[in-house]
Amino acid sequence: MECEWKPDEQGLQQILQLLKESQSPDTSTQRSVQQRLEQLNQYPDFNNYLIFVLTKLKSEDEPTRSLSGLILKNNVKAHYQNFPNGVSDFIKSECLQNIGDSSPLIRATVGILITTIASKGELQNWPELLPKLCLLLDSEDYNTCEGAFGALQKICEDSAEILDSDMLDRPLNIMIPKFLQFFKHSSPKIRSHAIACVNQFIISRTQALMLHIDPFIENLFALATDEEPEVRKNVCRALVMLLEVRLDRLLPHMHNIIEYMLQRTQDHDENVALEACEFWLTLAEQPVCKEVLCGHLSQLTPVLVNGMKYSEIDIILLKGDIEEDEAIPDNEQDIRPRFHRSRTVAQQHEGDGIEEEEDEDDELDDDDTISDWNLRKCSAAALDVLANVFRDDLLLHILPLLKELLFHPEWVVKESGILVLGAIAEGCMQGMIPYLPELIPHLVQCLSDKKALVRSITCWTLSRYAHWVVSQPPDTYLKPLMTELLKRILDSNKRVQEAACSAFATLEEEACTELVPYLAFILDTLVFAFSKYQHKNLLILYDAIGTLADSVGHHLNKPEYIQMLMPPLIQKWNQLKDEDKDLFPLLECLSSVATALQSGFLPYCEPVYQRCVNLVQKTLAQAMLHQSQPDQYEAPDKDFMIVALDLLSGLAEGLGGTIEQLVARSNILTLMYQCMQDKMPEVRQSSFALLGDLTKACFQHVKPCIADFMPILGTNLNPELISVCNNATWAIGEISIQMGPEMQPYIAMVLHQLVEIINRPNTPKTLLENTAITIGRLGYVCPQEVAPMLQQFIRPWCTSLRNIRDNEEKDSAFRGICTMISVNPGGVVQDFIFFCDAVASWVNPKDDLRDMFYKWPDVGVAASTAEIILP
């Protein structure tokens, strides 16, 4: 061994000085400390100083020593591969010698350092680590045992996969039986570490644990009523995971486990209760749920309902006692980043507007300032999933409780009742219908409760019943609900404003054109809210306006409405700088408004168009700079470009041919050519949507670029990236309609991929429909090229188009199929019945298309079969 490393006194003082300064709250001091630390990383033995302060310099205060260790940990993360051997060996031996430091803070810091080195791939290069830590578990000294266990727990969390691989000669075969011995240790902290270590290997069904599954479960049961909350929490966590992976082993004990979890869900330690409450969420996903839980519903329901009350600490955190806060500006840290959902082109289906993909806005997120998961949210989520499992059987147990809660004099209790009502809305809707004529008016009254938290939850719950409200005569419920919700949008409490805006957006989606008679009234409110709202709620207001535009469409295009709505939107638009992220929701909103207003948007079109083109250009330029000199230039936020492309799509769709002059005067096609080749899928997705919309609006400007664009479209027909593939497919279809027979040279670039996609199992519906339409359109313009493949796609083609509404796209696709059948009648013979079924999905085809359905000279049988099925 080389002689022991010793620090230089002056260097040591300098580093201690730095460590002291870095604890200063002043940001400029912090920044200069950061820079000096970066510089010190040039010196190979800087890290020796850091470990020395952590493990040897007992004269220093603990926070400074710990900080030294944490800075070392960051260096290990960033530069470990550059540490000289002597340095890394010194650090490793110091760690192992000091894992039993008498200070819990120092032990924990050493443990973090050990696991960071281990996860840098050093478990292989540090063969003595695990045996040594396992040996230290048997130490008589509590600190050593606890420190070693703490380190092992962190290693199990960070390196579970490697521990269970052949790379290390399967250390778990020794470690897991060893951990199980400590479940009965006298120290609660040690028992807790032991369970936490083993828990890391449940979900992955690690072989070494599966061999000892029965003793593991027995040991868990033995600790079920441990006096230490941390131990009970880990027991609950283990049982929740076992429910997912080893249900077979729990089933024989299921009755007792459920009884136990019922008690734990009411544990006086909220962390234990929360962990236990997860059990019901997980159980609801198991097929056996109904069978094993039905006998316990009468006990479980009140427990979950009880957990849905705000705790006192929640109310303090939510400032539930402050009723009026509309004048207080928002804390910028509280505003969650919004992610723009790029444009996806979808077909309309029979009997509805556009089919939305799964709605994610409906989550039980009624108070996102404590967006941390808590017992209230978990209980509500559990009730929601159980309502979906048990349906109306759950109502038997809920209704008696609800009566008491909803009319309770204490607001906290009443509030929880309203949350319960919202949580069961989806699962118990059928059984709730008889009570809604009485409940909805009661809830509408609760919208003017004197407690803000009651008003806000009521907004959410009413939105969960919006579908039913809209199905009734409008004067009965829709009108009173809308009138009150609009008042809440102008509430003096910010949380209520937010809840009301979100609920109103849901109502808009359900009600669609039912809202047309009230448009003036609605716009009045939304526009007034502009002048009233603080930052965070403004972002939600944009969404409510955009959704309104989507829902009422061209009915918004009246001079008096435009006069109300556009000035405040354009005023915000002018206030915001190009690098302000608030542009995202505003651009999304304007995109919906432009599509709805159509010609009504013309007066605003030019500045909006110009700015979008500039945003795209700026972002691309910044990306090029970053690529050539990454250390000088930051990578741009490409969301700006994506949102701008989507708004341009909205303009093209809304304004149609009138956008032609704007396109002529700009370099948008050059920019699109770059966007279509961007590394980021969302950029490509939005550029293909724009390509399709510009193809429809002003093909004369797109046509010269087709030879460049088509190969790019062909390479993007990769169904792994569903939305990119979907929009590229749609654009190809739009281009083929415009190109006509001139499409011929490009068919080979795309046809094979399209046929492959339409035959893939589990392809999402939207992509299948767009693929079918595009194949039909290609066949319409180039039947000789496409018809020979008919037999390879006719069956999935027919089944994917039978549920789409009559529209232009469906029309051109069916014309294509008929044309191809006349070129290659043999390609359809085996699947003819599928074709008849698809033809029968037309409600009223145009006359000449109807004639095509009847008149195939080549397929004698065809006409007669189709006769029978056609309306």
Side-chain angles (χ1 to χ4, degrees):
M1 181 83 193
E2 62 208 271
C3 64
E4 182 74 358
W5 177 87
K6 287 279 185 297
D8 163 67
E9 195 45 46
Q10 208 181 347
L12 188 60
Q13 286 317 313
Q14 203 185 338
I15 283 172
L16 285 172
Q17 179 60 33
L18 255 188
L19 291 169
K20 292 276 188 289
E21 282 176 25
S22 73
Q23 294 169 61
S24 138
D26 174 51
T27 40
S28 60
T29 311
Q30 294 261 348
R31 220 171 293 137
S32 83
V33 168
Q34 263 332 95
Q35 284 171 340
R36 305 230 295 284
L37 287 173
E38 278 308 309
Q39 289 159 359
L40 285 168
N41 264 317
Q42 313 303 315
Y43 300 98
D45 66 350
F46 169 49
N47 294 301
N48 286 3
Y49 281 91
L50 292 174
I51 189 82
F52 183 87
V53 174
L54 172 66
T55 58
K56 291 230 189 329
L57 207 57
K58 312 269 166 149
S59 53
E60 270 306 320
D61 61 291
E62 286 180 11
T64 302
R65 290 172 59 200
S66 172
L67 185 65
S68 180
L70 293 174
I71 291 172
L72 174 55
K73 173 208 70 162
N74 290 336
N75 288 348
V76 167
K77 261 194 167 143
H79 314 292
Y80 190 72
Q81 64 287 354
N82 308 332
F83 284 19
N85 279 348
V87 173
S88 48
D89 290 343
F90 180 57
I91 293 172
K92 286 176 181 177
S93 77
E94 280 302 305
C95 281
L96 285 178
Q97 280 167 39
N98 291 278
I99 191 69
D101 193 284
S102 57
S103 145
L105 178 64
I106 301 298
R107 289 202 298 274
T109 311
V110 172
I112 290 173
L113 191 50
I114 288 178
T115 185
T116 310
I117 295 172
S119 59
K120 282 307 255 186
E122 284 297 299
L123 262 179
Q124 291 101 302
N125 308 346
W126 194 355
E128 67 275 21
L129 174 64
L130 294 173
K132 174 83 178 173
L133 288 175
C134 285
L135 196 64
L136 293 174
L137 292 183
D138 296 322
S139 163
E140 291 297 300
D141 172 48
Y142 168 78
N143 292 339
T144 305
C145 176
E146 197 279 324
F149 238 136
L152 280 165
Q153 183 180 332
K154 295 184 183 88
I155 293 169
C156 290
E157 285 167 12
D158 295 340
S159 307
E161 278 164 31
I162 275 204
L163 288 172
D164 187 31
S165 69
D166 287 325
M167 297 166 83
L168 295 178
D169 200 23
R170 307 228 165 246
L172 290 178
N173 294 340
I174 298 160
M175 287 162 68
I176 285 183
K178 179 110 188 157
F179 294 153
L180 290 175
Q181 295 167 8
F182 285 87
F183 277 38
K184 304 213 164 64
H185 195 278
S186 58
S187 149
K189 187 101 174 91
I190 303 285
R191 294 198 295 274
S192 180
H193 278 314
I195 309 176
C197 283
V198 180
N199 280 358
Q200 294 307 318
F201 303 102
I202 300 176
I203 291 292
S204 57
R205 297 184 171 81
T206 301
Q207 187 61 38
L209 175 55
M210 292 303 136
L211 290 173
H212 298 90
I213 196 77
D214 291 326
F216 173 49
I217 292 174
E218 277 161 46
N219 276 325
L220 283 176
F221 290 165
L223 293 177
T225 51
D226 200 284
E227 81 275 5
E228 172 63 32
E230 196 60 26
V231 172
R232 296 198 301 275
K233 185 181 103 177
N234 280 330
V235 169
C236 290
R237 182 172 291 175
L239 289 170
V240 171
M241 291 189 288
L242 286 167
L243 195 54
E244 277 187 54
V245 299
R246 289 311 300 261
L247 183 59
D248 57 318
R249 281 294 189 264
L250 296 187
L251 272 178
H253 315 282
M254 205 45 144
H255 181 82
N256 295 344
I257 293 174
I258 289 174
E259 293 287 323
Y260 171 67
M261 284 300 191
L262 273 166
Q263 286 183 301
R264 287 290 74 81
T265 309
Q266 305 168 76
D267 200 289
H268 48 82
D269 183 300
E270 173 160 344
N271 292 321
V272 179
L274 177 56
E275 216 42 77
C277 195
E278 296 279 353
F279 182 82
W280 314 112
L281 265 178
T282 305
L283 184 56
E285 290 166 10
Q286 306 299 326
V288 296
C289 176
K290 224 171 172 159
E291 182 189 331
V292 299
L293 202 52
C294 60
H296 301 270
L297 275 186
S298 56
Q299 299 160 275
L300 174 59
T301 312
V303 170
L304 291 177
V305 166
N306 200 33
M308 287 163 76
K309 290 203 294 278
Y310 276 125
S311 65
E312 299 194 359
I313 187 92
D314 288 344
I315 295 169
I316 294 166
L317 288 171
L318 283 169
K319 305 188 172 65
D321 48 344
I322 301 178
E323 293 298 324
E324 295 200 15
D325 61 357
E326 62 173 346
I328 305 169
D330 293 329
N331 179 358
E332 291 302 312
Q333 276 82 23
D334 290 345
I335 299 179
R336 284 197 264 172
R338 285 187 79 259
F339 297 104
H340 171 69
R341 283 228 309 270
S342 315
R343 211 176 161 92
T344 314
V345 187
Q347 294 303 318
Q348 296 214 332
H349 293 80
E350 269 319 314
D352 63 325
I354 295 240
E355 279 266 300
E356 285 291 330
E357 292 301 316
E358 278 302 286
D359 216 15
E360 29 347 85
D361 295 336
D362 213 18
E363 288 306 301
L364 287 152
D365 195 11
D366 50 290
D367 37 46
D368 37 10
T369 23
I370 0 177
S371 61
D372 323 338
W373 192 233
N374 56 19
L375 185 60
R376 167 186 164 91
K377 291 192 174 179
C378 190
S379 304
L383 195 61
D384 184 2
V385 290
L386 289 169
N388 277 299
V389 172
F390 287 98
R391 301 282 165 185
D392 298 345
D393 295 348
L394 188 70
L395 275 184
L396 298 174
H397 308 287
I398 294 261
L399 285 171
L401 299 169
L402 267 177
K403 284 204 179 65
E404 198 178 319
L405 298 169
L406 288 171
F407 299 94
H408 201 281
E410 281 180 56
W411 75 265
V412 176
V413 180
K414 177 175 166 180
E415 193 277 345
S416 71
I418 298 171
L419 173 58
V420 168
L421 200 52
I424 61 172
E426 197 186 336
C428 304
M429 182 56 93
Q430 276 321 104
M432 284 305 297
I433 287 175
Y435 306 97
L436 292 178
E438 199 184 331
L439 276 172
I440 298 293
H442 174 63
L443 286 171
V444 170
Q445 266 183 311
C446 294
L447 281 175
S448 43
D449 193 278
K450 60 181 197 300
K451 289 301 291 185
L453 288 171
V454 173
R455 299 198 297 277
S456 61
I457 196 63
T458 307
C459 291
W460 179 76
T461 292
L462 278 163
S463 75
R464 301 268 288 179
Y465 291 96
H467 187 75
W468 181 83
V469 167
V470 171
S471 71
Q472 305 298 303
D475 284 355
T476 333
Y477 307 105
L478 178 60
K479 201 171 169 185
L481 167 58
M482 194 177 59
T483 313
E484 284 307 306
L485 259 186
L486 288 170
K487 288 184 193 156
R488 292 293 67 84
I489 285 179
L490 303 179
D491 201 278
S492 57
N493 179 278
K494 290 193 289 191
R495 172 166 292 101
V496 180
Q497 295 171 356
E498 176 183 4
C501 255
S502 299
F504 196 71
T506 306
L507 186 64
E508 290 169 339
E509 282 172 3
E510 291 289 351
C512 292
T513 49
E514 296 276 337
L515 297 179
V516 172
Y518 315 109
L519 267 173
F521 185 40
I522 294 170
L523 286 168
D524 227 6
T525 304
L526 297 179
V527 168
F528 188 68
F530 257 111
S531 56
K532 190 176 168 76
Y533 276 12
Q534 298 294 340
H535 186 179
K536 181 179 171 191
N537 287 351
L538 258 183
L539 307 183
I540 297 162
L541 181 62
Y542 293 138
D543 187 49
I545 292 172
T547 308
L548 180 67
D550 294 338
S551 302
V552 299
H554 64 90
H555 296 283
L556 200 55
N557 188 7
K558 288 220 172 86
E560 62 272 28
Y561 298 156
I562 297 176
Q563 218 20 67
M564 293 167 81
L565 182 58
M566 289 307 298
L569 285 175
I570 293 297
Q571 188 197 347
K572 289 286 177 210
W573 167 265
N574 291 330
Q575 277 169 8
L576 292 177
K577 298 198 171 53
D578 274 354
E579 36 291 327
D580 193 326
K581 286 198 163 64
D582 284 9
L583 272 177
F584 301 166
L586 177 55
L587 285 159
E588 283 176 45
C589 169
L590 280 171
S591 178
S592 295
V593 170
T595 308
L597 290 184
Q598 297 175 343
S599 61
F601 198 78
L602 268 176
Y604 309 95
C605 183
E606 186 155 4
V608 171
Y609 180 91
Q610 267 333 117
R611 184 170 192 180
C612 287
V613 173
N614 286 347
L615 281 169
V616 175
Q617 190 150 8
K618 264 189 176 171
T619 312
L620 286 171
Q622 178 79 22
M624 307 247 302
L625 284 172
H626 171 69
Q627 218 168 353
S628 57
Q629 297 157 287
D631 30 356
Q632 244 104 36
Y633 297 98
E634 271 185 39
D637 181 343
K638 289 190 178 170
D639 274 356
F640 285 104
M641 171 157 77
I642 296 167
V643 183
L645 291 166
D646 286 348
L647 176 46
L648 288 168
S649 278
L651 292 178
E653 191 182 339
L655 297 165
T658 39
I659 200 171
E660 183 272 320
Q661 292 143 339
L662 293 171
V663 174
R665 292 201 297 267
S666 70
N667 61 340
I668 186 63
L669 287 155
T670 318
L671 298 175
M672 271 166 57
Y673 181 62
Q674 290 172 269
C675 293
M676 287 162 63
Q677 299 173 76
D678 198 274
K679 288 197 298 288
M680 189 175 176
E682 291 79 4
V683 176
R684 302 201 300 278
Q685 172 183 340
S686 292
S687 61
F688 296 143
L690 178 55
L691 173 60
D693 282 314
L694 288 179
T695 297
K696 288 171 81 166
C698 51
F699 189 62
Q700 67 267 45
H701 298 303
V702 177
K703 193 172 180 184
C705 313
I706 289 299
D708 293 326
F709 288 174
M710 280 308 297
I712 300 174
L713 287 165
T715 52
N716 277 280
L717 296 176
N718 164 18
E720 296 303 309
L721 295 168
I722 292 168
S723 302
V724 178
C725 182
N726 180 66
N727 289 2
T729 302
W730 175 74
I732 292 167
E734 290 299 338
I735 289 168
S736 61
I737 290 293
Q738 299 291 338
M739 291 284 283
E742 294 177 58
M743 194 67 184
Q744 192 265 328
Y746 306 110
I747 300 282
M749 293 178 186
V750 298
L751 185 59
H752 281 279
Q753 294 95 300
L754 293 169
V755 172
E756 207 169 298
I757 292 165
I758 204 168
N759 282 295
R760 259 181 106 219
N762 307 329
T763 304
K765 194 166 66 173
T766 307
L767 178 54
L768 276 181
E769 290 164 356
N770 277 319
T771 306
I773 284 172
T774 293
I775 291 175
R777 290 177 147 191
L778 291 170
Y780 182 51
V781 297
C782 298
Q784 300 298 337
E785 281 68 29
V786 185
M789 308 268 296
L790 201 51
Q791 201 175 340
Q792 295 174 44
F793 62 73
I794 185 72
R795 182 180 290 194
W797 190 94
C798 293
T799 46
S800 59
L801 286 189
R802 46 190 282 238
N803 298 323
I804 297 186
R805 281 197 200 170
D806 296 6
N807 65 14
E808 283 305 314
E809 305 195 356
K810 183 171 173 176
D811 179 272
S812 54
F814 270 86
R815 286 171 194 272
I817 273 290
C818 293
T819 314
M820 288 188 277
I821 290 176
S822 52
V823 172
N824 174 17
V828 74
V829 172
Q830 295 165 335
D831 299 302
F832 198 69
I833 187 74
F834 289 91
F835 178 66
C836 298
D837 180 47
V839 166
S841 74
W842 278 89
V843 182
N844 40 12
K846 293 182 185 164
D847 290 342
D848 57 337
L849 178 62
R850 183 185 290 269
D851 293 344
M852 287 178 90
F853 290 153
Y854 284 115
K855 295 180 188 149
W856 289 296
D858 311 307
V859 191
V861 196
S864 58
T865 320
E867 294 284 348
I868 304 165
I869 297 181
L870 260 178

